[in-house]
Amino acid sequence: MMKRKEFILGAAVGLVFAAAATAGGVIDWPGANAAEAHGRLIPSAGASGLAFAPPQGAPLSFADIFDQVAPAVVQIDVETPIERPPAGRMIPIPGLPGFGFQAPETQEPGEEEEAPTAQGAGSGFFISADGFIVTNNHVVANATKITVRMSDGRELPARLVGRDADTDLAVVKVEGSGFNFVSFEEAAEPRVGDWVLAVGNPFSLGGTATAGIVSARAREIGDSSTPYTDYLQIDAAINRGNSGGPTFDIYGRVIGVNSAIFSPTGGSVGIGFAIPASIAKTVTDRLMSGQAIQRGYLGVKIQDLPDEYRGPLGLSDDQEGAYIAEVTPGGPAAASGLREGDIVVSLNGAPITTSTELTRRVAQVSPGDTLRVEIIREGRRQTLNVRSGTRPSDINAAQNAETDEQDAQPGRPQAPAGEIVEGMTLAPLTDALRSRYSISESVRGLVITAAAEDSRAGRAGVQPGFVIIQANGRPISTVVELQAVVREARVANREGILLLIRIPEGNRPFVLELSDAK
């Protein structure tokens, strides 16, 4: 099955993106028995009433709604290239580790042989009479051929207009006019408990309707590739192939774009996720007009402020914010004086409570805008002005490449001598230690050359070559500075200190529980 990504949560539960593979063949999409008139589909007469109050008789049947909107929903068939394994390479057999077979000796694809392709299918819907269609990015990404199958049986070639991986949205276009289309509903916010109707192409079966309710709003689904989307959760059945299809309210207005399901098996268990109309319309409007999707950029790696950080930092139990774990060298944040260990508590006067909130607020500004960033640093509040940059489109790929490069470093040698603090043998960074542990010239701090196995640091997995950058938000470069932080924590009757440690994968905060004072 063609799917973009799968996440394992616990022992069995995964997040599956609802695209589908098809082995070929012909799939007939039955007609919807809708009105023959072309153009924009008019919401039902009840739309002038309360935003999401059901019309009289609902939910006795969704048939009228389906008849109204189905002509605008399409099946999207795609072909994507398959990477040809090198001749002689061992190809593993899924489910049988250690077993496989040799890739056959074949000629490179040329005039006599076409490169192999895979077929996949998803859903989409018209949002204009002149042929613009919304779908998911993961449905059409890397596609070499896109075909749209309409509810009346017509098949039309389509071209990619634009896509935005960060919201998993894409726009394709077919040539022609007078297509039935539907519209996004931005003005009325759906409420938990409101009825919804999902229409799409599950398992390449063609026009299929499923009904349910809005189960939750503003859901985060743990997908770092779509950081700007807080999803609608719905319990209308969403399966593979429903990706890119619309979720309608009871008036036939699009309130979401189906994108993912949460499932232990890959099939629907009543937990589906749709990109809200408020996000989808803004992005697709820009894609339709040929504009690039640009977002603001600080150049920091952030995380939520967990409870265990507050004590070591002397913060109140209800203090919220986004903890800066790493600052990108040469980025806007670094140029404006933000540093690792800062806690962002407001942006342009609006409170920041989580890292996700900060990410989305920054993304909403235009590159070049000035951001007023209020932070807590070493227990004191201050405000810095940061000129927003432009978020790189390949930022995830760049970070992954950096991690891969660091992971490929050779094994670490035995530790040299140094001073011991809380079971860790420590030494100031020197050229010799940088070379020994492959530490970048840009890293400043105190290198850990050993950690006693019976110490709290050793039991927590601290390893030689890690570098202590900060302790309780204070930059550390000598053993004396770290010892001073430990003494201050003991005097304040704190049980631990918050270390910011540089490891091969990047900066990591770590609460070190202090040993019993002797």
Side-chain angles (χ1 to χ4, degrees):
M1 305 294 286
M2 185 183 81
K3 55 184 179 180
R4 190 175 61 150
K5 202 166 187 180
E6 182 171 296
F7 298 84
I8 302 301
L9 302 180
V13 180
L15 178 69
V16 180
F17 286 80
T22 175
V26 177
I27 300 173
D28 290 328
W29 188 313
N33 298 320
E36 295 296 331
H38 294 290
R40 179 170 181 164
L41 297 172
I42 306 301
S44 68
S48 60
L50 295 176
F52 284 88
Q56 186 176 1
L60 295 178
S61 174
F62 292 93
D64 289 341
I65 304 170
F66 179 76
D67 286 348
Q68 174 184 317
V69 300
V73 183
V74 301
Q75 174 177 323
I76 297 179
D77 296 324
V78 299
E79 291 185 9
T80 56
I82 298 176
E83 183 178 355
R84 185 187 299 272
R89 176 182 175 183
M90 181 66 71
I91 301 176
I93 300 175
L96 296 176
F99 294 87
F101 58 91
Q102 294 291 124
E105 298 284 344
T106 57
Q107 64 184 24
E108 292 297 320
E111 294 182 0
E112 300 81 9
E113 181 182 0
E114 294 184 357
T117 59
Q119 294 180 325
S123 303
F125 55 98
F126 284 101
I127 53 172
S128 72
D130 55 351
F132 285 97
I133 297 170
V134 173
T135 187
N136 281 147
N137 172 67
H138 73 264
V139 171
V140 296
N142 304 318
T144 56
K145 181 180 180 182
I146 304 172
T147 303
V148 168
R149 189 191 301 269
M150 299 177 59
S151 62
D152 59 10
R154 284 183 292 167
E155 294 184 21
L156 301 174
R159 62 178 176 85
L160 179 66
V161 173
R163 60 191 185 94
D164 178 38
D166 290 333
T167 54
D168 193 26
L169 290 166
V171 174
V172 301
K173 190 177 188 304
V174 296
E175 296 304 318
S177 60
F179 295 105
N180 289 300
F181 68 97
V182 289
S183 301
F184 286 111
E185 173 52 57
E186 293 181 285
E189 290 281 338
R191 300 172 300 163
V192 174
D194 283 337
W195 289 103
V196 294
L197 181 73
V199 182
N201 173 43
F203 302 109
S204 295
L205 292 174
T208 299
T210 55
I213 63 170
V214 175
S215 302
R217 296 178 52 194
R219 284 294 198 206
E220 297 178 29
I221 62 176
D223 182 15
S224 61
S225 65
T226 55
Y228 308 115
T229 303
D230 48 354
Y231 292 84
L232 287 177
Q233 180 183 327
I234 62 175
D235 70 351
I238 301 297
N239 286 288
R240 302 186 185 201
N242 276 115
S243 271
T247 294
F248 296 102
D249 64 14
I250 56 175
Y251 304 117
R253 304 173 299 193
V254 180
I255 62 170
V257 181
N258 300 321
S259 182
I261 59 174
F262 192 54
S263 171
T265 62
S268 174
V269 293
I271 303 178
F273 300 99
I275 304 165
S278 57
I279 295 175
K281 187 177 189 307
T282 300
V283 172
T284 55
D285 280 352
R286 293 182 65 87
L287 293 177
M288 288 171 61
S289 62
Q291 300 180 59
I293 305 298
Q294 292 186 331
R295 296 181 172 91
Y297 176 65
L298 278 181
V300 294
K301 291 183 180 179
I302 54 178
Q303 65 179 67
D304 291 343
L305 182 64
D307 293 339
E308 59 265 29
Y309 292 9
R310 295 185 176 93
L313 295 176
L315 302 175
S316 62
D317 292 341
D318 59 353
Q319 179 63 60
E320 296 177 316
Y323 179 87
I324 297 179
E326 192 169 340
V327 176
T328 303
S336 302
L338 283 171
R339 72 187 194 195
E340 291 90 349
D342 289 344
I343 301 167
V344 179
V345 294
S346 78
L347 182 72
N348 289 341
I352 296 295
T353 58
T354 66
S355 59
T356 300
E357 189 173 26
L358 177 60
T359 297
R360 292 174 181 168
R361 291 271 182 85
V362 172
Q364 292 170 359
V365 306
S366 299
D369 286 354
T370 298
L371 304 174
R372 289 182 294 107
V373 183
E374 185 181 2
I375 62 171
I376 297 177
R377 176 182 294 175
E378 297 184 38
R380 296 185 296 273
R381 288 184 178 243
Q382 56 182 287
T383 300
L384 299 176
N385 290 326
V386 182
R387 186 177 182 182
S388 172
T390 302
R391 185 181 190 271
S393 59
D394 59 347
I395 187 170
N396 290 327
Q399 291 172 349
N400 292 338
E402 180 182 354
T403 298
D404 293 342
E405 180 180 350
Q406 292 165 335
D407 288 344
Q409 292 174 357
R412 302 193 186 282
Q414 296 296 317
E419 297 186 63
I420 298 176
V421 177
E422 293 295 315
M424 298 177 293
T425 304
L426 306 167
L429 270 172
T430 63
D431 291 341
L433 288 175
R434 289 185 187 278
S435 176
R436 183 186 299 270
Y437 293 114
S438 301
I439 300 170
S440 169
E441 287 292 333
S442 63
V443 176
R444 298 289 182 268
L446 197 61
V447 65
I448 300 170
T449 59
E453 293 183 359
D454 60 349
S455 69
R456 292 180 176 178
R459 292 195 297 269
V462 171
Q463 299 178 19
F466 288 4
V467 180
I468 299 176
I469 298 174
Q470 290 182 0
N472 284 354
R474 185 181 306 173
I476 297 295
S477 58
T478 67
V479 173
V480 171
E481 291 172 342
L482 179 60
Q483 289 172 332
V485 173
V486 171
R487 284 196 303 271
E488 291 173 4
R490 292 191 186 281
V491 170
N493 293 320
R494 297 173 185 165
E495 298 179 352
I497 58 175
L498 177 62
L499 301 180
L500 186 61
I501 297 180
R502 180 72 178 186
I503 66 175
E505 293 77 17
N507 293 351
R508 295 292 185 272
F510 164 59
V511 176
L512 175 64
E513 294 185 17
L514 300 178
S515 58
D516 297 332
K518 299 180 180 179

